[in-house]
Amino acid sequence: MSMENLLKEEELSLLRSTLEGAGKILITCHTNPDGDALGSMTALMSVLRRRGKEVVGVAPDRWPDNLEWLPLMGEVRQYLRHEEEVKDLVKDVDLVLMLDHGRLDRMAELGEAVAGLQVPRIVMDHHPQPEEGALLTLCYPGFCAAAEVVYKVLDQLGWTQDMTADEATGIYCGLMTDTGAFAYNSNRPELYRIIASLLEKGIDKDHIYRKVFWASSADRYRLLGYLLYVKMEILHEYHAAIITFTNQERKHFQLKNGETDGIVNYPLMIGGMRLSIFLREDTEKRGVIRVSLRSVDDVPCHDISAEFFQGGGHRNASGGRLNCSMEEAVEVAKKAIRKYAEILKK
Ligand code: 5GP
Ligand code: MN
């Protein structure tokens, strides 16, 4: 299927020669890796291995249990808690491919290790404001997922013709998870041309959907019920909602890794809501509140996150953190909501 070209001729030839010249390649993604980060990573690991490269995939930290089934996931290393082992494994790489993030600091400690390697980096991403310093920055904020960038780049290299069903599965997982199963950020027709190609490679999209979205523990849904019934504060006037979740409360639920992901989306299902903020105590670091923001239309989560929560992300989906108590975090969230009142009340 013919698609519009993404890369300029000089970018394509630099990419091709850099990949050809590299014997061993490290692929990285951002902290709290999601379906896009890991789907893109595992797909690209496989494509490059079939082309004779030695490839190491490393995530900065833990991933959700519902992504464990992804093809090749068993070979992705986790930097947190395995630092020495991973450092040894990547010390002789020739090239780093940064997927689903355009900044070293989005990898926490792994970012410092990557900077220390002193080898060229290529970014394939869709977040705004990638940093300088990479050999090649293939970053398209209009794209719904890093998986879309990876697919388009592979297509232009002529490497999608022999793409396997497993590789196509990783790409589809990225497209599906970063669009909430095509509920947002998913109006570009090109996206569906890519999906048509993936179906032709043999993916089972219904199966992928169930593996990712219908795989929670019963406790995850009990928690959701509790949070919506007891812990959701709706600021009707501002079309905004705040949900809080403490580690004390967490003790009552047997949650698998990543099972608080997605809870931030639920308040937006209430008609007229424009912003949802989910505040949860970090399970590892005391005194840290992790923040997730989701919005609709022109409400700029990434700006709110940068201004109030030391974070960033996309316009309608961002994250950040605060070093304070939950009570203080709620106050910060309310301050943010009041600051953006004009746009929220529209
Ligand atoms: P989540 O709420 O799922 O943790 O994050 C939502 C989105 O915001 C993801 O695309 C993620 O990459 C981005 N994000 C989360 N935390 C940060 C952060 O601290 N900085 C930046 N720049 N982006 C973030
Ligand atoms: Mn992404």
Side-chain angles (χ1 to χ4, degrees):
M1 193 179 301
S2 78
M3 296 189 187
E4 261 175 55
N5 283 340
L6 185 66
L7 309 190
K8 297 189 209 93
E9 270 314 311
E10 58 271 22
E11 289 176 321
L12 184 62
S13 70
L14 178 58
L15 175 68
R16 196 185 294 280
S17 62
T18 308
L19 289 174
E20 271 167 11
K24 186 168 177 181
I25 300 174
L26 165 63
I27 305 184
T28 63
C29 65
H30 57 75
T31 57
N32 300 318
D34 54 13
D36 186 28
L38 297 171
S40 311
M41 178 191 272
T42 49
L44 193 55
M45 281 167 70
S46 171
V47 169
L48 291 171
R49 282 185 182 178
R50 284 196 299 102
R51 283 181 164 69
K53 306 295 171 188
E54 194 179 342
V55 188
V56 186
V58 181
D61 51 13
R62 217 167 60 173
W63 49 80
D65 287 359
N66 68 336
L67 296 172
E68 202 66 63
W69 62 275
L70 273 168
L72 232 60
M73 207 47 225
E75 296 194 31
V76 175
R77 313 288 174 135
Q78 194 197 124
Y79 191 63
L80 192 76
R81 299 204 189 95
H82 304 276
E83 282 190 25
E84 294 314 314
E85 190 190 319
V86 173
K87 269 190 187 143
D88 191 52
L89 202 62
V90 304
K91 64 179 189 297
D92 54 350
V93 299
D94 308 308
L95 176 68
V96 180
L97 302 180
M98 289 167 47
L99 298 193
D100 204 22
H101 66 115
R103 316 180 64 88
L104 290 169
D105 66 8
R106 289 288 292 126
M107 293 192 273
E109 289 83 2
L110 175 60
E112 288 156 36
V114 167
L117 291 173
Q118 309 254 343
V119 296
R121 300 188 294 271
I122 295 178
V123 168
M124 296 187 203
D125 187 27
H126 68 133
H127 290 86
Q129 295 160 347
E131 69 193 353
E132 310 245 302
L135 174 71
L136 198 52
T137 301
L138 308 174
C139 182
Y140 307 89
F143 277 33
C144 73
E148 192 178 357
V149 180
V150 170
Y151 185 88
K152 290 282 298 188
V153 166
L154 293 176
D155 197 51
Q156 222 175 318
L157 285 164
W159 293 358
T160 51
Q161 276 139 17
D162 61 351
M163 182 176 262
T164 67
D166 277 356
E167 291 157 6
T169 293
I171 299 290
Y172 185 80
C173 177
L175 303 178
M176 180 187 77
T177 52
D178 261 23
T179 57
F182 312 102
Y184 45 81
N185 224 347
S186 50
N187 280 326
R188 289 171 42 258
E190 174 84 343
L191 176 57
Y192 300 91
R193 282 191 274 273
I194 294 174
I195 293 170
S197 311
L198 300 174
L199 288 163
E200 281 159 3
K201 314 270 179 231
I203 65 163
D204 181 342
K205 67 177 262 307
D206 303 350
H207 181 75
I208 298 170
Y209 182 95
R210 289 197 302 275
K211 281 289 212 188
V212 172
F213 293 119
W214 291 356
S216 304
S217 64
D219 267 18
R220 194 261 183 175
Y221 281 98
R222 294 198 165 93
L223 169 67
L224 179 64
Y226 167 73
L227 293 178
L228 294 180
Y229 190 48
V230 179
K231 301 298 304 286
M232 176 171 64
E233 184 179 357
I234 300 182
L235 294 88
H236 287 282
E237 183 192 350
Y238 298 97
H239 305 131
I242 301 171
I243 297 179
T244 57
F245 183 42
T246 64
N247 286 335
Q248 188 61 34
E249 291 168 316
R250 189 183 284 267
K251 288 188 191 145
H252 297 278
F253 300 90
Q254 303 268 312
L255 299 178
K256 296 193 275 184
N257 291 336
E259 287 203 310
T260 54
D261 290 1
I263 284 177
V264 63
N265 293 313
Y266 283 86
L268 290 182
M269 296 175 195
I270 301 167
M273 279 289 143
R274 286 168 59 74
L275 176 67
S276 168
I277 303 181
F278 182 43
L279 305 169
R280 63 197 181 284
E281 286 179 349
D282 195 292
T283 52
E284 317 262 329
K285 297 179 197 136
R286 271 175 70 92
V288 174
I289 305 290
R290 301 235 317 241
V291 186
S292 287
L293 298 101
R294 297 292 186 274
S295 69
V296 295
D297 296 334
D298 55 349
V299 177
C301 277
H302 55 328
D303 292 343
I304 301 175
S305 191
E307 194 174 337
F308 289 92
F309 303 111
Q310 308 166 36
H314 308 283
R315 189 182 60 184
N316 295 133
S318 301
R321 70 204 46 76
L322 288 171
N323 300 79
C324 63
S325 69
M326 184 59 89
E327 291 70 29
E328 289 164 319
V330 170
E331 283 317 306
V332 174
K334 287 184 176 171
K335 206 168 139 193
I337 289 168
R338 286 195 293 270
K339 168 97 191 276
Y340 283 82
E342 200 180 321
I343 196 160
L344 287 170
K345 285 178 175 183
K346 272 211 288 199

